[in-house]
Amino acid sequence: MSTDTMQKDILRGGQFLVKETNSEDVFTLEDLNEEQRMMRESTKEFVDRELWAHWERFENKDYGFTEETMRKAGELGLLSVAVPESYGGMGMGFVSTMLVCDYISGATGSFSTAFGAHTGIGTMPITLYGTEAQKQKYVPKLASGEWFGAYCLTEPGAGSDANSGKTKAVLSKDGKHYSISGQKMWISNAGFCSLFIVFARIGDDKNITGFIVENDPSNGISLGDEEKKLGIHASSTRQVFFNETKVPVENMLSERGNGFKIAMNALNVGRIKLAAACLDAQRRVINEATKYANERIQFKTPIMNFGAIKAKIADMATNVYVDESASYRAAKNIEDRISIRESEGNTHQEAELKGVEEYAIECSILKVAVSEHVQQTTDEGIQIFGGMGFSADTPMESAWRDARISRIYEGTNEINRMLAVGMLVKKAMKGHVDLLGPATAVGEELMGIPSFDAPDFSELFAEEKDLVTRLKKVFLMVAGSAVQKFGPKLEEHQQLLMSASDILIQVYLAESAILRTEKNVKRSSEEAQATQIAMSKLYLYRAVDIISQKGKEAIVSFSEGDEQRMMLMGLKRFTKYTNQPNVVALRTQIADKISADNGYTFD
């Protein structure tokens, strides 16, 4: 681990809300080292050659082709990036695993799902929770692509409420094996996997238990037909039935009753990786839409010259730029936290589990934001293509359909919105994030007389950073008042939590983009970063609108009288621009750059 990592004070999860972050302390895509850049290029080459060039095969439900390309990815080492070297993997850091997940996932949701299910929830539970014997036996085969993994958690009656599963595990009289019986559904990779991570309940245990189950049809395992789905057509998705399937006791994963914890921690990693998996899909849609808009002539001019198209292209590009900024910022925080824990004597397993868990709030934020942006981007991609976008002869409509599942995967966006705020409040109660002090200070500020001094906003981003600081106060005002009013029963007020979460999400994303751009301006120039500056300003403008709307919605829903009037005045004060940006000019500047480059060139 570098001396810089040891010396700098890395913010804990959620502390971005109450502590200032310097631009020098955030990681950006421009900070990739030579090895990471080479890894990115080899991944892109694989995707262009093996996946993007054959996207129609995935749309035609060619499950065999998905398996074939997964094996090719294994031969290139792309399935082993996150696996420690001692188990046949490349043992690369968390940022590198994000990078591969990002660039391997943009061509088709079918392959992206197979890749994520295998490398993430299919392999990771064993590397992080398995015994040494389990890891030696299974992980090398999974890392190489000789075997593929699947994850059996969801049941007909247990979706978001994962711990309510009915699948049973009964210990044999001789104590040598468990018999598992039950039904699992929506199991990705079920049609070609070699092993399942299965969650079942032993007796009347409060929590489920995890098991490693080899896929042997003669051992009471049968599959349903391939599901008929809106998108991800060539992702093998089937029901799995277990009928007294015998599993050796040594194949229990971790301890009895620890399955729910395994599932939740796997989802934390899955959420930030899902955000990464939605990035290159946006870039590719932007690239295709830009090429089409530059070539499509209507009214004797390319449609890219029309302001309505420029607005769409600019918003699409701004979304993915901001998404990149926030995703890699969080990924490096996780990597640094893992390194610190390892230097303190934690095993790799312990360090990675705790490192990711520390940033569970950010993982939920990213999952929600990026999955919704990829849906917006693919929708606008169809619109730019017009009638051709609606045709299956172009990849736009398949990209839109594939994007839709990302808002459901790894916990629905509704669940993740509530989790983000709920986890932050719990961290505050444990003393890990000081929300009470800053929230109290905001309350006192509301009671005081506002300053009418004219601020000095002459430096780049001076006003934007001041505004971000004030947007954080909106969250503290709304959430602080809500906690004070409802206490532990806050979790019952889901609509309020959703509004607070949207404020939190916009703060993190807007700040991440500004910090990334500021850092890159310092090492180049404002001129070199002109478009990135425009995107950062445009996103903040949109974020302010969302925060104003969600803040008002929350305030008028749980307060009244003088308290309500005071908070509404505070909301107006905290979301006020001194110098409003020219939104049309910003969008035009962004779109003209993308048009000139014939695609997105900021990654």
Side-chain angles (χ1 to χ4, degrees):
M1 183 175 59
S2 69
T3 305
D4 289 345
T5 301
M6 288 292 291
Q7 289 179 346
K8 73 180 181 183
D9 181 23
I10 302 169
L11 294 186
R12 299 193 68 160
Q15 283 187 333
F16 71 88
L17 191 66
V18 293
K19 288 193 175 184
E20 184 178 354
T21 302
N22 296 319
S23 61
E24 293 84 359
D25 293 334
V26 298
F27 182 86
T28 75
L29 270 175
E30 293 76 19
D31 293 315
L32 295 176
N33 61 35
E34 190 59 34
E35 181 185 42
Q36 289 167 330
R37 292 176 188 276
M38 289 174 63
M39 175 65 73
R40 177 172 63 179
E41 288 310 307
S42 64
T43 303
K44 288 167 72 173
E45 287 173 13
F46 167 77
V47 172
D48 288 338
R49 182 181 67 250
E50 303 292 347
L51 307 181
W52 186 246
H54 307 288
W55 66 269
E56 298 100 328
R57 294 187 67 174
F58 294 103
E59 288 314 296
N60 292 330
K61 302 182 181 181
D62 192 340
Y63 303 107
F65 187 62
T66 300
E67 182 180 357
E68 177 187 328
T69 50
M70 280 287 287
R71 295 203 184 280
K72 288 181 178 179
E75 291 166 6
L76 291 173
L78 295 172
L79 304 181
S80 70
V81 178
V83 174
E85 292 181 54
S86 52
Y87 307 111
M90 299 176 71
M92 300 186 80
F94 198 84
V95 170
S96 296
T97 69
M98 280 279 287
L99 195 65
V100 171
C101 186
D102 173 354
Y103 286 91
I104 208 167
S105 300
T108 166
S110 296
F111 182 89
S112 176
T113 296
F115 177 85
H118 171 72
T119 59
I121 51 181
T123 303
M124 184 183 57
I126 304 177
T127 61
L128 296 185
Y129 285 97
T131 64
E132 186 61 26
Q134 289 170 346
K135 287 184 286 188
Q136 292 289 353
K137 181 177 181 180
Y138 294 114
V139 176
K141 292 179 180 179
L142 294 167
S144 68
E146 178 185 347
W147 280 25
F148 292 118
Y151 182 83
C152 296
L153 177 63
T154 304
E155 299 182 13
S160 296
D161 185 8
N163 202 39
S164 65
K166 298 291 190 287
T167 298
K168 291 290 185 182
V170 179
L171 186 63
S172 62
K173 290 182 179 178
D174 61 9
K176 292 184 177 180
H177 68 264
Y178 284 92
S179 289
I180 294 181
S181 296
Q183 175 186 0
K184 299 291 183 177
M185 65 188 304
W186 309 122
I187 308 307
S188 299
N189 295 354
F192 61 86
C193 73
S194 308
L195 67 76
F196 301 101
I197 305 296
V198 181
F199 296 90
R201 193 177 310 279
I202 302 172
D204 295 323
D205 286 1
K206 178 183 176 182
N207 293 321
I208 51 180
T209 297
F211 296 89
I212 302 169
V213 182
E214 296 184 22
N215 186 6
D216 177 3
S218 67
N219 187 22
I221 299 175
S222 58
L223 305 177
D225 294 335
E226 290 286 355
E227 298 287 352
K228 297 174 182 177
K229 309 183 294 293
L230 172 69
I232 55 172
H233 279 172
S235 164
S236 177
T237 312
R238 304 170 77 166
Q239 292 191 60
V240 183
F241 301 90
F242 299 97
N243 183 15
E244 296 190 1
T245 300
K246 292 181 173 58
V247 182
V249 292
E250 57 266 27
N251 275 29
M252 179 186 287
L253 191 58
S254 187
E255 302 166 3
R256 176 173 174 170
N258 216 26
F260 185 63
K261 186 175 182 180
I262 295 171
M264 293 303 101
N265 281 327
L267 288 173
N268 285 335
V269 181
R271 283 163 185 153
I272 190 170
K273 293 289 182 70
L274 180 66
C278 293
L279 293 175
D280 202 49
Q282 292 184 74
R283 298 187 197 102
R284 286 177 182 269
V285 167
I286 293 166
N287 291 344
E288 294 302 307
T290 302
K291 291 171 188 173
Y292 185 82
N294 277 334
E295 295 168 4
R296 173 70 168 167
I297 307 296
Q298 290 290 278
F299 308 103
K300 299 181 181 179
T301 187
I303 64 171
M304 178 60 91
N305 291 337
F306 297 123
I309 300 299
K310 288 185 178 184
K312 293 181 188 300
I313 292 289
D315 284 342
M316 293 156 72
T318 296
N319 280 349
V320 72
Y321 178 77
V322 172
D323 293 344
E324 291 170 350
S325 306
S327 296
Y328 284 95
R329 173 189 183 183
K332 189 62 163 73
N333 284 155
I334 291 171
E335 183 173 287
D336 286 346
R337 185 63 64 183
I338 291 169
S339 295
I340 288 171
R341 284 190 166 274
E342 287 180 330
S343 71
E344 292 172 347
N346 286 181
T347 65
H348 174 75
Q349 289 170 287
E350 294 168 333
E352 185 153 338
L353 279 169
K354 291 297 183 182
V356 175
E357 188 178 357
E358 176 65 54
Y359 296 95
I361 295 165
E362 287 81 355
C363 291
S364 283
I365 285 172
L366 291 165
K367 190 275 178 185
V368 171
V370 189
S371 68
E372 292 181 359
H373 283 163
V374 73
Q375 189 80 72
Q376 293 165 18
T377 295
T378 54
D379 192 71
E380 292 288 39
I382 289 177
Q383 199 70 11
I384 291 169
F385 269 69
M388 286 304 296
F390 201 71
S391 169
D393 290 334
T394 66
M396 283 296 154
E397 63 92 31
S398 63
W400 180 84
R401 287 186 289 98
D402 284 356
R404 185 59 185 84
I405 188 62
S406 60
R407 286 157 57 195
I408 299 170
Y409 274 160
E410 314 300 345
T412 66
N413 282 12
E414 291 71 26
I415 289 284
N416 274 285
R417 275 185 163 88
M418 290 183 284
L419 272 175
V421 178
M423 288 186 291
L424 184 59
V425 171
K426 285 179 182 176
K427 276 202 163 199
M429 289 177 175
K430 291 179 180 177
H432 294 169
V433 178
D434 178 19
L435 288 185
L436 181 60
T440 301
V442 170
E444 292 171 353
E445 183 178 344
L446 290 175
M447 299 294 288
I449 300 172
S451 170
F452 295 100
D453 294 340
D456 179 9
F457 289 148
S458 55
E459 277 191 31
L460 175 67
F461 288 141
E463 179 167 5
E464 286 75 17
K465 289 167 76 173
D466 177 72
L467 189 47
V468 167
T469 299
R470 287 185 278 121
L471 295 179
K472 293 177 182 181
K473 291 178 181 179
V474 174
F475 179 86
L476 292 167
M477 175 179 69
V478 171
S481 298
V483 169
Q484 193 173 29
K485 187 177 185 70
F486 300 114
K489 292 187 177 180
L490 178 61
E491 63 183 23
E492 297 174 10
H493 298 267
Q494 292 190 351
Q495 293 185 57
L496 182 56
L497 284 172
M498 301 268 279
S499 294
S501 181
D502 282 333
I503 297 170
L504 188 67
I505 289 166
Q506 294 305 319
V507 165
Y508 188 69
L509 265 68
E511 181 181 63
S512 297
I514 289 168
L515 291 172
R516 173 189 183 181
T517 306
E518 183 183 38
K519 182 177 185 178
N520 288 322
V521 165
K522 288 176 180 177
R523 56 187 169 192
S524 57
S525 66
E526 289 190 31
E527 184 180 4
Q529 293 285 310
T531 309
Q532 292 90 324
I533 292 169
M535 289 190 285
S536 301
K537 290 183 175 183
L538 176 61
Y539 193 87
L540 179 62
Y541 177 83
R542 285 163 34 194
V544 168
D545 269 357
I546 293 170
I547 290 171
S548 297
Q549 176 198 344
K550 296 298 181 178
K552 182 179 179 182
E553 185 179 297
I555 290 165
V556 300
S557 298
F558 76 86
S559 65
E560 55 188 22
D562 289 342
E563 181 191 22
Q564 183 183 99
R565 282 189 287 274
M566 182 180 67
M567 284 200 288
L568 288 174
M569 287 176 60
L571 177 65
K572 188 174 181 180
R573 187 196 309 176
F574 294 147
T575 56
K576 182 181 179 181
Y577 271 98
T578 299
N579 303 290
Q580 293 278 357
N582 183 332
V583 176
V584 170
L586 290 176
R587 284 191 176 124
T588 301
Q589 179 184 350
I590 297 162
D592 286 350
K593 170 64 174 171
I594 291 169
S595 174
D597 292 348
N598 212 25
Y600 183 87
T601 57
F602 306 103
D603 61 326

